[in-house]
Amino acid sequence: VLNENWTCKDLYDFQKGLSPLEQSLSIALWLADDYYFYAVCIFIISVFSIGLSLYEIRKQSITLRNMAQFVTNVTVRRNSGAEECMSSEELVPGDCLVIPQEGLLLPCDAALLVGECLVNESMLTGESVPVLKTPLPTGEGRYSSETEQRRHTLFCGTQLIQAKGWGSSGAVAVVTSTGFFTAKGSLVSSIMHPQPIDFRFYQDSGKFLLLLGLVTLLSLVIRSLDVVTIAVPPALPAAITTGTIYAQRRLKSQGIFCISPPRINICGKVSVFCFDKTGTLTEDGLDVWGVMEGGAAGFSELVPDPGLLPPGPMLSGLACCHTVTLLQGQPLGDPLELKMVESTEKHCFAVPISVVSSYPKLISFSLISCQSTSEAVAIVRRFPFSSALQRMSVVTVARGGHSALAFIKGSPEMVASLCRAETVPAQFSSELGGFSSEGLRVLALGYKPVDGNTDLRAIERCTDMRFLGLLIMKNLVKPESAKVINVLRLANLRSVMVTGDNILTAVNVAKGCGMVESHEKVIFVNVTPQTAQSGPRLKFSLDEGGAPADQTSIVTRSAFDYHLAINGKSFVALCNHFPEYLPKVLLRATVFARMAPDQKTQLVKELQKLNYRVGMCGDGANDCGALRAADVGVSLSEAEASVASPFTSKTENISCVPLLIREGRCSLITSFSLFKYMALYSFIQFCSVLLLYTVSSSFQSGCHLPLQRYVPFNSTLFGAANLPNMENTSVFSLSALQFIIMAVVVTKGYPHKKPLFYNCESEEGDFLLGWRG
């Protein structure tokens, strides 16, 4: 995938300085003019800088090549029914791939036709929890792996842990794409050709070098070629690159890995940082806090232990509505679902397919049996969770092949909208608001009976359900989150939460971690799209769906006494119907809830349009797009997907963010200082050479090293025969003194670095968001 030519070209593009040809011509000109020592020094410095950068890029190239290249033997089923073993390099779209029960590392993208597969997609998404893939439903619609059919797609590079099909055979999938047209190929392509860095410092550097070049071209002097090499500093790219590489090494020592060194400088200009909630600001694990059964008569009392529920649909739903599977006798799946199943104190075990033979249209194959009541209940069909649909569903059958039930689990708002209105308690909104405002994670469940002739697509649509109740889980804020948010607030850096959770839960977490202080108000932005009965509406309220707030008062409020909160649906409606209010909302919004992955990416881009330098910190599959779109993306995942993010932290909390900004500001100040020093150095040397040209003299190599003593100037001689002389030595000595004074003047310490007289790292005297070295 990569070769040495690509690496060298990428290196020189990164340095953004003189081309290799121009540097070679400069050194050749100096050698021709007996400028040996200076030419050799510049050559050694340039070679060292290039070699150091080449070494780092070479390591990244090897990592990328090992990830990209993969060849294995696969089994393909032909139209005749015969199976053939062949190399994965020979696969083409349309081949039927037989997946063994023990699984394999997939060499292509494929749509699952028969069976179910448990897949580890951490290589592509960063999500360490295995994902359940189900067969592609029959229909006339066009297949696309980017839509909801993603849950029926097996992606290249992902590890298939386990496959199940009819009887003892494995699953069957049809190849849809290979090579660079696969999801893994797109990831490799995005790494090889990253998003262009639009950073004003690099643009201004190029403009300044161009200006100096134009100035020198206007200098019509005899030694014009020599003046060009003096006025345009050839060592500038090497100097700036060296400073960035040292910053990269310091970050690595702190457990932060960087695959795009130029973005270190951009970290110093970040003005807003977006954080995911679950697993980033809060702990990964969730504990069951209790359940509440609901119906037309209202909600029952809160039951702290779901295992104490009487036998019935609610207990069956908790025990069965999940994607937990068995691997070598051990349950494996999403941590939330594992906690839910464990709380029912029921057991999962394999069952023969004969127990569900009465419902052939529902069966993909028998998965597991959950002993949710006095008898075992077999899960015969599962529709995994979709972030776009905000729900998942399963179909269960009791032992003996009777009493088929469909269960649904998902966000309370979505489940309630799919249930019969008469089965949803009247206190639904108030109870949900109370739990969410306390920072609790709330899920709702529903069910309905089905028969053997029910269409699978009708079951997946989950219509006409009966409301069962609420599952309440608690998610604690990580202790480091509040400290980091406080540091960012003191540094006048804005913090924003972007989550897929309930808006009230998100607001509670924002208050818990310090994004919203106790004396500050939260104003909810509610936008309803246009309907047949009414036009689009924009409303501000002090509580979710409550009393409206006066729009004029919001605009005239103090800059620091209120925050806006908005959910994903309102965000989309705001972009579509009220684009003139979008910048105003983005400037004051702190909580973005119920945001889908593509909405997170869109949010990052909208903030960038407001001239924000946006940082994004996340750890899961829903964050990958936003991490790549952000100016500074920080992944807390150690999976291979982290190579798509510029920065990866081994620390599983956001304490890496201040370290990254400190190092970014330190590196940026160093780059500015180096740039000013090299520019002034060239200008001083340019003036000195022009001054010596007036007396038919110039600098020689001996001036830079104490190898010669000066002699009186002899006007009858020219060139090397008259060197060194008093005029030459005096101008050189004065220039050297100016270089020393200039180095002291342009070296800036406070507040991002220690003063110039420090030359070692110290734990004392850290400045706010400054570097301690």
Side-chain angles (χ1 to χ4, degrees):
V1 176
L2 302 177
N3 52 48
E4 295 296 330
N5 293 332
W6 179 90
T7 302
C8 293
K9 179 180 182 300
D10 179 75
L11 172 64
Y12 287 113
D13 288 344
F14 161 65
Q15 287 188 330
K16 293 186 180 293
L18 294 175
S19 67
L21 178 61
E22 290 174 313
Q23 288 188 348
S24 301
L25 291 176
S26 298
I27 293 176
L29 182 62
W30 293 328
L31 292 175
D33 203 24
D34 298 333
Y35 230 49
Y36 300 115
F37 293 102
Y38 186 76
V40 170
C41 289
I42 293 297
F43 177 78
I44 292 175
I45 292 174
S46 299
V47 169
F48 175 76
S49 174
I50 293 174
L52 202 59
S53 298
L54 188 62
Y55 172 73
E56 294 292 336
I57 295 176
R58 177 61 179 169
K59 289 200 304 183
Q60 297 169 11
S61 302
I62 294 174
T63 302
L64 183 60
R65 179 183 298 168
N66 294 337
M67 183 184 74
Q69 292 182 339
F70 174 70
V71 180
T72 186
N73 292 326
V74 295
T75 302
V76 176
R77 182 173 297 173
R78 300 303 183 188
N79 293 337
S80 61
E83 296 184 354
E84 176 185 347
C85 184
M86 58 188 294
S87 172
S88 60
E89 294 180 309
E90 301 176 10
L91 286 174
V92 295
D95 287 341
C96 281
L97 189 64
V98 178
I99 302 173
Q101 290 186 344
E102 63 273 12
L104 81 162
L105 186 62
L106 204 65
C108 61
D109 281 4
L112 187 61
L113 300 180
V114 178
E116 288 189 350
C117 296
L118 188 65
V119 185
N120 182 356
E121 292 188 338
S122 62
M123 184 270 168
L124 292 178
T125 66
E127 182 61 63
S128 59
V129 178
V131 180
L132 182 69
K133 300 291 184 176
T134 56
L136 190 69
T138 57
E140 299 179 356
R142 182 180 294 272
Y143 168 80
S144 174
S145 61
E146 301 298 327
T147 62
E148 280 307 306
Q149 294 174 339
R150 180 183 180 89
R151 54 182 171 170
H152 312 299
T153 305
L154 306 175
F155 293 102
C156 177
T158 58
Q159 178 66 50
L160 274 65
I161 302 175
Q162 189 181 63
K164 293 184 179 179
W166 291 103
S168 60
S169 62
V172 177
V174 60
V175 178
T176 57
S177 54
T178 59
F180 277 101
F181 296 98
T182 63
K184 180 180 179 181
S186 300
L187 174 62
V188 174
S189 179
S190 67
I191 299 172
M192 293 176 60
H193 308 285
Q195 179 180 356
I197 299 176
D198 179 22
F199 194 32
R200 188 173 180 181
F201 173 68
Y202 297 129
Q203 296 176 355
D204 291 346
S205 300
K207 293 177 182 178
F208 181 78
L209 293 177
L210 180 62
L211 179 62
L212 289 180
L214 293 176
V215 171
T216 58
L217 290 177
L218 296 177
S219 304
L220 300 177
V221 292
I222 299 176
R223 302 296 302 274
S224 59
L225 292 178
D226 193 20
V227 172
V228 170
T229 63
I230 294 173
V232 182
L236 177 61
I240 295 179
T241 302
T242 303
T244 306
I245 289 177
Y246 275 110
Q248 185 180 15
R249 287 186 174 182
R250 288 193 293 266
L251 284 174
K252 187 175 182 181
S253 66
Q254 297 287 337
I256 303 174
F257 299 91
C258 173
I259 64 170
S260 180
R263 292 188 184 267
I264 296 178
N265 283 346
I266 302 179
C267 293
K269 296 294 291 183
V270 168
S271 50
V272 59
F273 228 102
C274 302
F275 297 95
D276 181 38
K277 184 181 76 69
T278 306
T280 304
L281 293 173
T282 63
E283 300 288 352
D284 280 316
L286 289 171
D287 292 321
V288 175
W289 197 70
V291 292
M292 290 180 66
E293 293 188 89
F299 283 103
S300 66
E301 293 293 329
L302 180 71
V303 180
D305 185 3
L308 300 177
L309 288 172
M314 185 65 179
L315 183 60
S316 297
L318 292 172
C320 301
C321 195
H322 55 75
T323 56
V324 175
T325 188
L326 294 176
L327 181 63
Q328 299 178 351
Q330 296 295 323
L332 186 67
D334 186 90
L336 183 150
E337 295 184 332
L338 287 173
K339 287 284 186 180
M340 183 183 73
V341 174
E342 291 172 2
S343 68
T344 62
E345 300 179 353
K346 306 304 174 185
H347 304 285
C348 301
F349 50 88
V351 294
I353 198 167
S354 60
V355 303
V356 292
S357 58
S358 300
Y359 292 86
K361 288 191 176 182
L362 299 180
I363 301 171
S364 59
F365 53 90
S366 179
L367 289 172
I368 60 175
S369 170
C370 292
Q371 194 171 358
S372 60
T373 57
S374 57
E375 63 176 8
V377 178
I379 304 174
V380 296
R381 188 71 174 183
R382 291 195 277 197
F383 303 95
F385 176 80
S386 166
S387 58
L389 298 178
Q390 299 181 20
R391 66 177 184 268
M392 69 154 296
S393 55
V394 298
V395 181
T396 66
V397 176
R399 185 178 294 276
H402 61 275
S403 301
L405 297 175
F407 290 95
I408 179 177
K409 180 189 78 202
S411 70
E413 302 92 341
M414 178 58 68
V415 172
S417 67
L418 297 174
C419 292
R420 297 178 182 175
E422 64 271 16
T423 65
V424 180
Q427 306 88 354
F428 172 80
S429 297
S430 60
E431 291 288 348
L432 175 61
F435 290 129
S436 299
S437 62
E438 295 177 14
L440 300 173
R441 178 79 177 271
V442 184
L443 297 175
L445 291 93
Y447 85 108
K448 73 174 180 180
V450 296
D451 55 48
N453 296 321
T454 304
D455 186 18
L456 282 176
R457 285 177 290 179
I459 296 176
E460 188 176 10
R461 286 193 293 268
C462 299
T463 57
D464 201 30
M465 307 293 289
R466 301 176 185 176
F467 189 81
L468 276 176
L470 301 176
L471 171 66
I472 303 103
M473 310 190 81
K474 193 168 187 179
N475 190 206
L476 300 177
V477 177
K478 293 181 179 179
E480 299 85 1
S481 298
K483 300 176 183 177
V484 172
I485 298 299
N486 183 57
V487 171
L488 297 181
R489 177 185 285 265
L490 293 175
N492 293 325
L493 284 174
R494 183 180 166 199
S495 300
V496 172
M497 182 191 300
V498 187
T499 178
D501 212 337
N502 180 277
I503 191 168
L504 294 177
T505 303
V507 169
N508 181 274
V509 173
K511 292 179 178 179
C513 66
M515 283 188 183
V516 178
E517 295 189 348
S518 57
H519 66 277
E520 297 174 330
K521 300 293 184 182
V522 177
I523 298 174
F524 295 90
V525 182
N526 299 292
V527 186
T528 54
Q530 185 173 2
T531 62
Q533 293 78 20
S534 63
R537 290 181 297 175
L538 172 62
K539 183 178 68 172
F540 296 91
S541 58
L542 288 175
D543 55 0
E544 176 69 5
D550 180 55
Q551 184 171 323
T552 305
S553 66
I554 292 175
V555 177
T556 58
R557 279 177 179 266
S558 172
F560 299 103
D561 66 349
Y562 79 97
H563 297 262
L564 298 182
I566 187 172
N567 60 31
K569 290 183 178 179
S570 294
F571 176 73
V572 173
L574 183 68
C575 295
N576 294 335
H577 301 290
F578 300 96
E580 67 277 11
Y581 283 96
L582 180 61
K584 299 178 182 179
V585 171
L586 292 179
L587 287 173
R588 294 303 305 154
T590 301
V591 175
F592 295 84
R594 288 284 186 242
M595 297 288 282
D598 57 336
Q599 292 171 348
K600 293 184 179 182
T601 305
Q602 182 183 0
L603 172 63
V604 170
K605 294 180 179 179
E606 292 294 342
L607 289 171
Q608 290 171 334
K609 291 179 182 178
L610 299 178
N611 293 325
Y612 277 115
R613 287 291 169 185
V614 183
M616 177 70 196
C617 183
D619 70 332
N622 294 338
D623 307 313
C624 286
L627 289 173
R628 288 194 291 265
D631 297 289
V632 177
V634 186
S635 172
L636 303 184
S637 171
E638 296 187 35
E640 286 190 37
S642 59
V643 299
S645 176
F647 299 94
T648 303
S649 174
K650 280 191 173 183
T651 307
E652 296 181 353
N653 56 65
I654 63 173
S655 60
C656 60
V657 172
L659 293 175
L660 193 59
I661 297 177
R662 287 190 182 106
E663 191 60 61
R665 292 189 175 183
C666 172
S667 177
L668 188 58
I669 289 297
T670 301
S671 297
F672 278 133
S673 299
L674 284 170
F675 183 85
K676 289 185 289 186
Y677 179 82
M678 295 302 297
L680 292 174
Y681 177 93
S682 298
F683 183 74
I684 293 173
Q685 194 173 34
F686 174 75
C687 295
S688 301
V689 170
L690 291 182
L691 185 61
L692 289 177
Y693 280 175
T694 61
V695 293
S696 303
S697 181
S698 180
F699 289 134
Q700 290 296 308
S701 297
C703 297
H704 300 87
L705 299 175
L707 301 179
Q708 298 173 308
R709 300 293 180 181
Y710 67 84
V711 296
F713 180 72
N714 188 347
S715 58
T716 62
L717 300 177
F718 179 78
N722 193 31
L723 293 175
N725 54 64
M726 183 177 296
E727 287 77 3
N728 184 290
T729 305
S730 300
V731 172
F732 178 81
S733 300
L734 181 60
S735 300
L737 182 61
Q738 290 177 323
F739 295 152
I740 296 174
I741 296 175
M742 180 180 61
V744 176
V745 171
V746 302
T747 302
K748 185 178 181 181
Y750 181 85
H752 307 299
K753 298 194 301 181
K754 285 293 185 68
L756 180 64
F757 51 82
Y758 281 86
N759 194 30
C760 63
E761 294 191 358
S762 172
E763 294 293 336
E764 300 178 8
D766 286 0
F767 298 104
L768 181 60
L769 289 187
W771 180 246
R772 66 172 182 265

